[in-house]
Each structure stands twice: as C-alpha cells, then as structure tokens.
Amino acid sequence: MKGQAAMMEKVIVMFFVVIIIVALIIFLSGWFMLNIRTEGQRTTNERALFIMKNVATNPLFVKDDSMFDDTKLTAASDMPCEAFEKLYGENWYIEVENKFDGTEWKICSQNRRNTSYIIPVNIFEKHTGLVYVGNLKVGVFI
Amino acid sequence: MRAQSGFVMIFLLILILIFVVLFLVTIGSTMKNTEYTQLYSTNLLLSILRSDTGYPDPECKLVSDAIYCTFMNSEHICSGSGLSCKEVAEENVRYYLDYDNGIAKKSYKHLIIAEPDWTAIDGSGQIIRFAVGDEDLLNPRGKKTAVNEIVGSGSYILNIRLLVTES
C-alpha cells in the first residue's frame, strides 16, 4: 500500500514537471512571437513618426515649421507618388486637411491597412494670407 | 515526497506569476508612445497660437495676439467683433480644443493656461486669469506632458502653457 502511495506521489510530481515544461515552451514561444510583432510595430511607428517630422519641416510642403503652404500642397498632390519615393521610400502616405473649409490634400494615399499618426498643423492660404488650423496624417502601409 | 510535490506546486505558481508580469510589461511597452504625445502637444499649442482669429484688428489678429492683448490691454474691443480680446481668445481656444470641431484628440485632456511675468489687473482691479480646458490638470498629481510658448518682449513676457494628459 505504501509502495503504491509513493508511486502515485511520483506520478503526480512527474505530471507537474511535465506541465511546467509544456507551459515554459508555450510561454517562451508566445513571448518570442509577441516580441517579434512588437518590434515590427515599433519599427513601423518610428518610420511614420520620422516621415511626419520630416514632412512638417520640409520646404517642399511648408512655409515655416509645421505651417503648410496650400499652393505647395496642391502642387505636391498633383505629382506622381514616385517623385517622393526617393525621399521617404515606398509604402507611406500623407493627408493634410484644412479644418476651416475641409479642403484635403492627399499624397500617395491608398485604401490599404496602415499605421498612422495625426498631429495638428497650420495651413497658410497664400491668396488671403490667412493661417488656419488643420491636421497632418502620416501613415505607413503594413 | 510530499515536500517535493509542494515545492513543485510553489514553483509552478511563481512561474505563472512571472509569465503574467512579463506579458504585461511587454504589452505596456508597446502601448507607450511619449514621443508622439510630445510632438502632438507641441504642434497643438503652436497651431492654435499661430492661427488667425478672423478679425483684422492687429491686437486680435492671431490667437496669440488676442491672448497677449487680454493681459496688456484688457479693455480693448477687437474691431469688427464687439468682443474683448479675452472673449475672442477664449472663443478661439475653446473651439480648437473641442473634440468634435477642433483639432484636439479625444484620447487626451487639455488645458491652455497663460501666465504673465507681471501682475496684470483689469479695469475693475481684478487679477486677470486665462485658462481654457480641463482645470483638473492643474492638480499636481498624475503624469502630464507640458509644453510652452513665450509671447511678448521686453519686460512684458507671457508664458503660454499647454498641459496634456491621457484621458
């Protein structure tokens, strides 16, 4: 009887040990996958932020830091996307919206899954000389 | 033997606890993006201050002009509006901080506060105060992002601050 009980104890301990090992394997592989995804997401976010900062200060689009010139935006949105790929690579887009009248300028915009950021900016209307507020949206396609 | 199985159970519990903590830390680090919040806050304040109010009066042309005039010339009425500088400034800032019409994001709480480096008093002898937004942000507790812009020159410097926190 004692021998049987000892045997049972051994089986239970072994069972727990197996559970621990299986749990460890599941956790480590899950954690590894999560880290890869997190790292991928972080890289995408960093790229979107980099493009955003660059666009907001690039004289191709702005009159002053974070103050977009509407005539430059109109000219840029008429240009083919390839013209900007030398600057920022592929798979990204910019959208600028004037909150006053709802005018929108889209550069390289596509209806695809993406990660995007929005920040407030100013829009300078050249023909009136007035400064409005708007939003700059920069996205990176996944 | 009993001690052995007890030890294994405790080890299993500790392991589960470590799993949960590590998982939460990983998730937490994914969510945080202080760089974006800083960029958003800086641009929000700058965009509001540099925008036109729509009135040609040089004292109230830009939102920053109207805020400065609130402290420098509190009795001034912005031509074409019938409103004082403070009313024009508050109306504009409130509009831009509005979640539906403005440019502020719903996921944040905002407060714009202007602090002169002199004691500004209005016609009735009251100290002038300018604060628009969620005044709970004045509570020193809690994590906030603060950005500021300096308006004015000489001995009349106005510090305009934007406080932002996640809602």
Side-chain angles (χ1 to χ4, degrees), chain B residues 128-139:
Chain B
I128 302 168
R129 188 172 179 275
F130 184 90
V132 179
D134 191 333
E135 295 214 26
D136 287 348
L137 285 169
L138 288 173
N139 188 329

Side-chain angles (χ1 to χ4, degrees), chain B residues 52-69 73 76-80 85:
Chain B
D52 269 280
T53 59
Y55 302 115
D57 187 336
E59 295 265 8
C60 327
K61 192 178 184 302
L62 305 179
V63 174
S64 58
D65 296 333
I67 296 176
Y68 191 61
C69 162
N73 198 358
H76 183 79
I77 299 292
C78 299
S79 61
C85 292

